[in-house]
PDB file of all heavy atoms in Angstrom:
ATOM      1  N   THR A  45      -5.440 -11.765   0.707  1.00  0.00           N
ATOM      2  CA  THR A  45      -6.199 -11.144  -0.376  1.00  0.00           C
ATOM      3  C   THR A  45      -6.857 -12.133  -1.271  1.00  0.00           C
ATOM      4  O   THR A  45      -8.020 -12.046  -1.616  1.00  0.00           O
ATOM      5  CB  THR A  45      -5.240 -10.235  -1.204  1.00  0.00           C
ATOM      6  OG1 THR A  45      -4.794  -9.124  -0.390  1.00  0.00           O
ATOM      7  CG2 THR A  45      -5.959  -9.703  -2.430  1.00  0.00           C
ATOM      8  N   PHE A  46      -6.092 -13.199  -1.621  1.00  0.00           N
ATOM      9  CA  PHE A  46      -6.684 -14.169  -2.539  1.00  0.00           C
ATOM     10  C   PHE A  46      -7.683 -15.124  -1.802  1.00  0.00           C
ATOM     11  O   PHE A  46      -8.584 -15.652  -2.427  1.00  0.00           O
ATOM     12  CB  PHE A  46      -5.545 -14.966  -3.263  1.00  0.00           C
ATOM     13  CG  PHE A  46      -4.950 -14.131  -4.394  1.00  0.00           C
ATOM     14  CD1 PHE A  46      -3.852 -13.374  -4.185  1.00  0.00           C
ATOM     15  CD2 PHE A  46      -5.558 -14.213  -5.632  1.00  0.00           C
ATOM     16  CE1 PHE A  46      -3.365 -12.598  -5.234  1.00  0.00           C
ATOM     17  CE2 PHE A  46      -5.008 -13.464  -6.694  1.00  0.00           C
ATOM     18  CZ  PHE A  46      -3.916 -12.681  -6.474  1.00  0.00           C
ATOM     19  N   LEU A  47      -7.459 -15.334  -0.510  1.00  0.00           N
ATOM     20  CA  LEU A  47      -8.454 -16.058   0.271  1.00  0.00           C
ATOM     21  C   LEU A  47      -9.763 -15.265   0.293  1.00  0.00           C
ATOM     22  O   LEU A  47     -10.867 -15.827   0.149  1.00  0.00           O
ATOM     23  CB  LEU A  47      -7.967 -16.324   1.680  1.00  0.00           C
ATOM     24  CG  LEU A  47      -6.887 -17.419   1.844  1.00  0.00           C
ATOM     25  CD1 LEU A  47      -6.379 -17.419   3.300  1.00  0.00           C
ATOM     26  CD2 LEU A  47      -7.518 -18.775   1.470  1.00  0.00           C
ATOM     27  N   GLU A  48      -9.637 -13.985   0.526  1.00  0.00           N
ATOM     28  CA  GLU A  48     -10.859 -13.130   0.536  1.00  0.00           C
ATOM     29  C   GLU A  48     -11.466 -13.043  -0.843  1.00  0.00           C
ATOM     30  O   GLU A  48     -12.693 -13.020  -0.966  1.00  0.00           O
ATOM     31  CB  GLU A  48     -10.457 -11.675   1.006  1.00  0.00           C
ATOM     32  CG  GLU A  48     -10.410 -11.487   2.445  1.00  0.00           C
ATOM     33  CD  GLU A  48     -11.831 -11.663   3.098  1.00  0.00           C
ATOM     34  OE1 GLU A  48     -12.614 -10.710   2.981  1.00  0.00           O
ATOM     35  OE2 GLU A  48     -12.102 -12.744   3.627  1.00  0.00           O
ATOM     36  N   ALA A  49     -10.612 -13.019  -1.871  1.00  0.00           N
ATOM     37  CA  ALA A  49     -11.147 -12.952  -3.266  1.00  0.00           C
ATOM     38  C   ALA A  49     -11.997 -14.189  -3.517  1.00  0.00           C
ATOM     39  O   ALA A  49     -13.076 -14.155  -4.133  1.00  0.00           O
ATOM     40  CB  ALA A  49      -9.993 -12.877  -4.237  1.00  0.00           C
ATOM     41  N   TRP A  50     -11.535 -15.356  -3.034  1.00  0.00           N
ATOM     42  CA  TRP A  50     -12.332 -16.606  -3.189  1.00  0.00           C
ATOM     43  C   TRP A  50     -13.631 -16.464  -2.488  1.00  0.00           C
ATOM     44  O   TRP A  50     -14.697 -16.860  -2.972  1.00  0.00           O
ATOM     45  CB  TRP A  50     -11.495 -17.803  -2.740  1.00  0.00           C
ATOM     46  CG  TRP A  50     -12.289 -19.076  -2.754  1.00  0.00           C
ATOM     47  CD1 TRP A  50     -12.880 -19.700  -1.681  1.00  0.00           C
ATOM     48  CD2 TRP A  50     -12.577 -19.886  -3.895  1.00  0.00           C
ATOM     49  NE1 TRP A  50     -13.486 -20.862  -2.090  1.00  0.00           N
ATOM     50  CE2 TRP A  50     -13.327 -21.010  -3.457  1.00  0.00           C
ATOM     51  CE3 TRP A  50     -12.250 -19.786  -5.247  1.00  0.00           C
ATOM     52  CZ2 TRP A  50     -13.769 -21.983  -4.321  1.00  0.00           C
ATOM     53  CZ3 TRP A  50     -12.694 -20.802  -6.098  1.00  0.00           C
ATOM     54  CH2 TRP A  50     -13.452 -21.845  -5.661  1.00  0.00           C
ATOM     55  N   ARG A  51     -13.584 -15.973  -1.235  1.00  0.00           N
ATOM     56  CA  ARG A  51     -14.819 -15.864  -0.418  1.00  0.00           C
ATOM     57  C   ARG A  51     -15.783 -14.873  -1.095  1.00  0.00           C
ATOM     58  O   ARG A  51     -17.008 -15.058  -1.029  1.00  0.00           O
ATOM     59  CB  ARG A  51     -14.403 -15.385   0.954  1.00  0.00           C
ATOM     60  CG  ARG A  51     -15.604 -15.407   1.946  1.00  0.00           C
ATOM     61  CD  ARG A  51     -15.133 -14.999   3.341  1.00  0.00           C
ATOM     62  NE  ARG A  51     -14.771 -13.603   3.427  1.00  0.00           N
ATOM     63  CZ  ARG A  51     -15.664 -12.634   3.654  1.00  0.00           C
ATOM     64  NH1 ARG A  51     -16.935 -12.924   3.738  1.00  0.00           N
ATOM     65  NH2 ARG A  51     -15.256 -11.369   3.699  1.00  0.00           N
ATOM     66  N   LEU A  52     -15.267 -13.803  -1.703  1.00  0.00           N
ATOM     67  CA  LEU A  52     -16.133 -12.769  -2.251  1.00  0.00           C
ATOM     68  C   LEU A  52     -16.295 -12.920  -3.782  1.00  0.00           C
ATOM     69  O   LEU A  52     -16.779 -11.955  -4.450  1.00  0.00           O
ATOM     70  CB  LEU A  52     -15.486 -11.407  -1.975  1.00  0.00           C
ATOM     71  CG  LEU A  52     -15.280 -11.036  -0.510  1.00  0.00           C
ATOM     72  CD1 LEU A  52     -14.424  -9.732  -0.375  1.00  0.00           C
ATOM     73  CD2 LEU A  52     -16.623 -10.904   0.214  1.00  0.00           C
ATOM     74  N   ARG A  53     -16.044 -14.083  -4.305  1.00  0.00           N
ATOM     75  CA  ARG A  53     -16.074 -14.241  -5.763  1.00  0.00           C
ATOM     76  C   ARG A  53     -17.380 -13.905  -6.402  1.00  0.00           C
ATOM     77  O   ARG A  53     -17.417 -13.464  -7.528  1.00  0.00           O
ATOM     78  CB  ARG A  53     -15.629 -15.673  -6.125  1.00  0.00           C
ATOM     79  CG  ARG A  53     -16.556 -16.769  -5.556  1.00  0.00           C
ATOM     80  CD  ARG A  53     -15.962 -18.136  -5.742  1.00  0.00           C
ATOM     81  NE  ARG A  53     -16.814 -19.257  -5.245  1.00  0.00           N
ATOM     82  CZ  ARG A  53     -16.866 -19.624  -3.976  1.00  0.00           C
ATOM     83  NH1 ARG A  53     -16.096 -18.958  -3.096  1.00  0.00           N
ATOM     84  NH2 ARG A  53     -17.692 -20.597  -3.593  1.00  0.00           N
ATOM     85  N   LYS A  54     -18.495 -14.155  -5.705  1.00  0.00           N
ATOM     86  CA  LYS A  54     -19.814 -13.897  -6.284  1.00  0.00           C
ATOM     87  C   LYS A  54     -20.116 -12.427  -6.369  1.00  0.00           C
ATOM     88  O   LYS A  54     -21.099 -12.035  -7.015  1.00  0.00           O
ATOM     89  CB  LYS A  54     -20.904 -14.656  -5.500  1.00  0.00           C
ATOM     90  CG  LYS A  54     -20.791 -16.141  -5.580  1.00  0.00           C
ATOM     91  CD  LYS A  54     -22.029 -16.820  -4.948  1.00  0.00           C
ATOM     92  CE  LYS A  54     -21.913 -18.331  -5.040  1.00  0.00           C
ATOM     93  NZ  LYS A  54     -21.888 -18.820  -6.414  1.00  0.00           N
ATOM     94  N   LYS A  55     -19.286 -11.597  -5.725  1.00  0.00           N
ATOM     95  CA  LYS A  55     -19.499 -10.127  -5.754  1.00  0.00           C
ATOM     96  C   LYS A  55     -18.725  -9.456  -6.934  1.00  0.00           C
ATOM     97  O   LYS A  55     -18.801  -8.250  -7.039  1.00  0.00           O
ATOM     98  CB  LYS A  55     -19.065  -9.522  -4.403  1.00  0.00           C
ATOM     99  CG  LYS A  55     -19.980  -9.946  -3.241  1.00  0.00           C
ATOM    100  CD  LYS A  55     -19.624  -9.175  -1.979  1.00  0.00           C
ATOM    101  CE  LYS A  55     -20.563  -9.578  -0.835  1.00  0.00           C
ATOM    102  NZ  LYS A  55     -20.305  -8.838   0.391  1.00  0.00           N
ATOM    103  N   VAL A  56     -17.977 -10.244  -7.695  1.00  0.00           N
ATOM    104  CA  VAL A  56     -17.309  -9.676  -8.829  1.00  0.00           C
ATOM    105  C   VAL A  56     -18.358  -9.177  -9.827  1.00  0.00           C
ATOM    106  O   VAL A  56     -19.286  -9.883 -10.118  1.00  0.00           O
ATOM    107  CB  VAL A  56     -16.436 -10.740  -9.543  1.00  0.00           C
ATOM    108  CG1 VAL A  56     -15.833 -10.164 -10.801  1.00  0.00           C
ATOM    109  CG2 VAL A  56     -15.294 -11.130  -8.607  1.00  0.00           C
ATOM    110  N   HIS A  57     -18.216  -7.921 -10.258  1.00  0.00           N
ATOM    111  CA  HIS A  57     -19.133  -7.374 -11.249  1.00  0.00           C
ATOM    112  C   HIS A  57     -19.052  -8.156 -12.516  1.00  0.00           C
ATOM    113  O   HIS A  57     -17.921  -8.440 -13.004  1.00  0.00           O
ATOM    114  CB  HIS A  57     -18.826  -5.896 -11.473  1.00  0.00           C
ATOM    115  CG  HIS A  57     -19.948  -5.211 -12.140  1.00  0.00           C
ATOM    116  ND1 HIS A  57     -20.215  -5.252 -13.489  1.00  0.00           N
ATOM    117  CD2 HIS A  57     -20.961  -4.412 -11.664  1.00  0.00           C
ATOM    118  CE1 HIS A  57     -21.242  -4.521 -13.837  1.00  0.00           C
ATOM    119  NE2 HIS A  57     -21.738  -3.997 -12.694  1.00  0.00           N
ATOM    120  N   PRO A  58     -20.169  -8.563 -13.093  1.00  0.00           N
ATOM    121  CA  PRO A  58     -20.120  -9.405 -14.286  1.00  0.00           C
ATOM    122  C   PRO A  58     -19.484  -8.729 -15.536  1.00  0.00           C
ATOM    123  O   PRO A  58     -19.101  -9.440 -16.464  1.00  0.00           O
ATOM    124  CB  PRO A  58     -21.620  -9.771 -14.551  1.00  0.00           C
ATOM    125  CG  PRO A  58     -22.351  -8.693 -13.848  1.00  0.00           C
ATOM    126  CD  PRO A  58     -21.517  -8.298 -12.681  1.00  0.00           C
ATOM    127  N   GLU A  59     -19.408  -7.419 -15.538  1.00  0.00           N
ATOM    128  CA  GLU A  59     -18.864  -6.706 -16.652  1.00  0.00           C
ATOM    129  C   GLU A  59     -17.611  -5.945 -16.272  1.00  0.00           C
ATOM    130  O   GLU A  59     -17.507  -5.475 -15.127  1.00  0.00           O
ATOM    131  CB  GLU A  59     -19.909  -5.751 -17.296  1.00  0.00           C
ATOM    132  CG  GLU A  59     -21.121  -6.477 -17.835  1.00  0.00           C
ATOM    133  CD  GLU A  59     -22.110  -5.521 -18.414  1.00  0.00           C
ATOM    134  OE1 GLU A  59     -21.893  -4.292 -18.346  1.00  0.00           O
ATOM    135  OE2 GLU A  59     -23.132  -5.965 -18.894  1.00  0.00           O
ATOM    136  N   GLY A  60     -16.683  -5.780 -17.199  1.00  0.00           N
ATOM    137  CA  GLY A  60     -15.520  -5.066 -16.911  1.00  0.00           C
ATOM    138  C   GLY A  60     -14.298  -5.720 -17.593  1.00  0.00           C
ATOM    139  O   GLY A  60     -14.412  -6.773 -18.214  1.00  0.00           O
ATOM    140  N   GLU A  61     -13.168  -5.078 -17.444  1.00  0.00           N
ATOM    141  CA  GLU A  61     -11.960  -5.607 -18.079  1.00  0.00           C
ATOM    142  C   GLU A  61     -11.061  -6.241 -17.011  1.00  0.00           C
ATOM    143  O   GLU A  61     -11.289  -7.298 -16.546  1.00  0.00           O
ATOM    144  CB  GLU A  61     -11.228  -4.492 -18.829  1.00  0.00           C
ATOM    145  CG  GLU A  61     -12.085  -3.954 -20.026  1.00  0.00           C
ATOM    146  CD  GLU A  61     -11.373  -2.876 -20.734  1.00  0.00           C
ATOM    147  OE1 GLU A  61     -10.202  -2.509 -20.412  1.00  0.00           O
ATOM    148  OE2 GLU A  61     -12.001  -2.285 -21.686  1.00  0.00           O
ATOM    149  N   SER A  62      -9.992  -5.574 -16.625  1.00  0.00           N
ATOM    150  CA  SER A  62      -9.019  -6.098 -15.676  1.00  0.00           C
ATOM    151  C   SER A  62      -9.629  -6.324 -14.306  1.00  0.00           C
ATOM    152  O   SER A  62     -10.460  -5.557 -13.838  1.00  0.00           O
ATOM    153  CB  SER A  62      -7.850  -5.163 -15.550  1.00  0.00           C
ATOM    154  OG  SER A  62      -7.003  -5.550 -14.531  1.00  0.00           O
TER     155      SER A  62
END
Side-chain angles (χ1 to χ4, degrees):
T45 295
F46 281 91
L47 284 172
E48 276 294 282
W50 174 260
R51 188 177 69 85
L52 300 173
R53 60 190 182 277
K54 293 187 181 299
K55 293 187 177 182
V56 174
H57 196 279
E59 297 180 357
E61 297 180 1
S62 171

